[in-house]
């Protein structure tokens, strides 16, 4: 990790995976089977919060202090450091619905703090990413699929804001009666943020599709581990669409959500089959960024040897 700080970008996937599991538990209402599951899930959520904070704060400090970067090196993978904060915020809103009032209130406050830390950091990296794609050329063909990664964190901000707004409308009324009028305001703010995030996700999705199609015209896009970013991005965009469709009662969004569910299922099956085949052959274990760097180093070294390998007699020919 110290020799290659780029590998630290993927440590943010650990708390995001925990958030996915916890959200699934709350979605299927497994708490009704055993009340102890509520507190077990809540404890695991605190672990994911600590991991998300470590990934977003400590890893950023390590990368900044140990490696010099330019804006040309910015990719969508940078968002993997800050995306866990918004994931933990939306997961906290899902768990708070099954907690007692005092614990739900504390979870709501912590979740809003996580969203407040993750949303500005995500926006800052997205600004750098948009500046990079408008100033320099597209990423290499073997890493072009990472163009879909920004779709996930941007959509996750909308999901977290809307989920927390809906939960605040209920929790604040029971826990703090003096703030009962703040709940509807936070719900309205959550809907507004979710709508803006959905519109930005449409732009990011359009650009990602264009980037893949454009690179596909010049070279074949090989399958690697970055293809799994498609499931995260499409899944989050689908969750945001479903949340907005439920709150706004728009059939257009509900139909779009069903289409995304089918697309997500197809992507899961495709990635699973290709990953199994790649693991069997060993081709899936390569890191595109490192491979490109090693190839460039070998090419420059061979060029230098060719230039310097001149016999003394040849200098006078």
């Amino acid at each position: 990790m110290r020799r290659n700080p780029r590998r630290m970008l993927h440590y943010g996937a650990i708390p995001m995976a925990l958030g996915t599991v916890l959200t699934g538990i709350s979605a299927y209402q497994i708490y009704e089977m055993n009340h102890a599951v509520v507190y077990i899930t809540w404890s695991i959520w605190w672990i994911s919060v600590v991991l998300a904070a470590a990934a977003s704060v400590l890893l950023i400090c390590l990368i900044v202090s140990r490696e010099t970067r330019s804006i040309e090196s910015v990719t969508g993978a940078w968002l993997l450091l800050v995306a866990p904060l918004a994931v933990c915020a939306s997961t906290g809103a899902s768990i708070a619905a099954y907690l007692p009032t005092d614990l739900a209130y504390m979870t709501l406050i912590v979740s809003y703090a996580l969203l407040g830390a993750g949303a500005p950091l995500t926006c800052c990296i997205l600004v750098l990413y948009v500046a990079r794609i408008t100033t320099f050329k597209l990423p290499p063909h073997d890493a072009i699929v990472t163009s879909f990664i920004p779709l996930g964190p941007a959509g996750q901000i909308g999901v977290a804001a809307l989920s927390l707004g809906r939960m605040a409308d209920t929790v604040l009324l029971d826990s703090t009666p003096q703030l009962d009028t703040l709940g509807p305001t936070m719900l309205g703010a959550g809907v507004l943020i979710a709508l803006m995030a959905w519109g930005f996700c449409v732009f990011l999705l359009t650009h990602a599709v264009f980037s893949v199609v454009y690179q596909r015209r010049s070279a074949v896009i090989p399958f690697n581990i970055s293809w799994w970013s498609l499931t995260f991005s499409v899944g989050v965009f689908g969750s945001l669409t479903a949340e907005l469709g439920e709150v706004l009662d728009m059939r257009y969004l509900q139909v779009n959500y069903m289409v995304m569910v089918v697309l997500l299922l197809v992507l899961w099956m495709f990635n699973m089959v290709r990953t199994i085949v790649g693991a069997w052959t060993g081709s899936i274990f390569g890191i595109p960024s490192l491979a490109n760097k090693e190839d460039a180093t070998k090419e420059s070294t061979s060029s230098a040897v060719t230039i310097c390998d001149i016999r003394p007699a040849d200098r006078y020919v």
Side-chain angles (χ1 to χ4, degrees):
M1 185 175 66
R2 290 180 298 177
R3 295 181 179 180
N4 180 30
R6 292 181 181 87
R7 294 184 179 180
M8 293 187 291
L9 298 174
H10 303 282
Y11 282 83
I14 299 176
M16 286 195 294
L18 288 177
T20 303
V21 174
L22 299 178
T23 302
I25 293 176
S26 62
Y28 289 102
Q29 299 180 359
I30 303 180
Y31 305 120
E32 297 181 358
M33 301 179 184
N34 191 347
H35 191 67
V37 179
V38 177
Y39 296 99
I40 295 176
T41 306
W42 191 55
S43 302
I44 299 176
W45 177 76
W46 279 106
I47 296 176
S48 67
V49 169
V50 174
L51 293 176
S56 302
V57 178
L58 297 180
L59 293 182
I60 289 180
C61 294
L62 288 175
I63 291 177
V64 170
S65 61
R66 295 185 180 183
E67 193 172 73
T68 302
R69 292 177 177 265
S70 61
I71 191 174
E72 189 177 2
S73 66
V74 176
T75 62
W78 280 35
L79 292 165
L80 294 177
L81 294 177
V82 297
L85 294 174
V87 173
C88 290
S90 61
T91 305
S94 302
I95 299 175
Y98 301 93
L99 292 172
T101 303
D102 54 343
L103 298 181
Y105 179 69
M106 180 175 61
T107 303
L108 183 68
I109 297 301
V110 174
S111 298
Y112 265 111
L114 291 172
L115 181 61
L121 288 173
T122 301
C123 292
C124 291
I125 296 178
L126 283 174
V127 169
L128 292 176
Y129 178 75
V130 174
R132 182 247 185 272
I133 63 178
T134 55
T135 307
F136 301 94
K137 61 181 181 180
L138 295 173
H141 66 282
D142 56 348
I144 193 62
V145 183
T146 58
S147 301
F148 286 90
I149 294 181
L151 184 64
Q156 193 65 52
I157 292 176
V159 172
L162 186 54
S163 301
L164 290 174
R166 298 176 66 178
M167 188 51 56
D169 193 20
T170 304
V171 173
L172 294 180
L173 182 62
D174 299 332
S175 60
T176 54
Q178 65 274 16
L179 298 177
D180 56 347
T181 58
L182 184 60
T185 304
M186 299 176 74
L187 175 59
V191 173
L192 180 61
I193 295 174
L195 283 173
M196 292 188 295
W198 192 87
F200 188 49
C201 285
V202 173
F203 162 76
L204 293 175
L205 179 62
T206 304
H207 172 267
V209 172
F210 166 78
S211 301
V212 171
V213 173
Y214 183 82
Q215 288 285 45
R216 180 63 181 82
R217 295 175 56 188
S218 57
V220 177
I221 301 177
F223 181 84
N224 50 56
I225 202 65
S226 64
W227 281 64
W228 281 100
S229 62
L230 291 170
T231 58
F232 169 65
S233 303
V234 175
V236 172
F237 190 33
S239 299
L240 177 59
T241 305
E243 292 282 345
L244 284 173
E246 182 180 354
V247 173
L248 301 177
D249 194 17
M250 294 183 62
R251 188 167 182 81
Y252 169 75
L253 295 176
Q254 296 173 357
V255 172
N256 281 347
Y257 169 67
M258 296 303 299
V259 173
M260 292 179 189
V261 169
V262 176
L263 177 60
L264 182 61
L265 179 61
V266 173
L267 289 174
W268 265 99
M269 297 299 295
F270 175 79
N271 289 340
M272 182 181 65
V273 173
R274 293 299 301 270
T275 300
I276 294 175
V277 174
W280 180 263
T281 59
S283 60
I284 194 66
F285 300 110
I287 302 177
S289 59
L290 296 180
N292 293 336
K293 186 177 181 180
E294 292 176 358
D295 293 341
T297 304
K298 292 179 180 179
E299 183 179 355
S300 61
T301 304
S302 61
S303 299
V305 172
T306 303
I307 294 176
C308 298
D309 189 15
I310 303 177
R311 292 175 297 178
D314 294 339
R315 298 178 183 176
Y316 304 100
V317 175

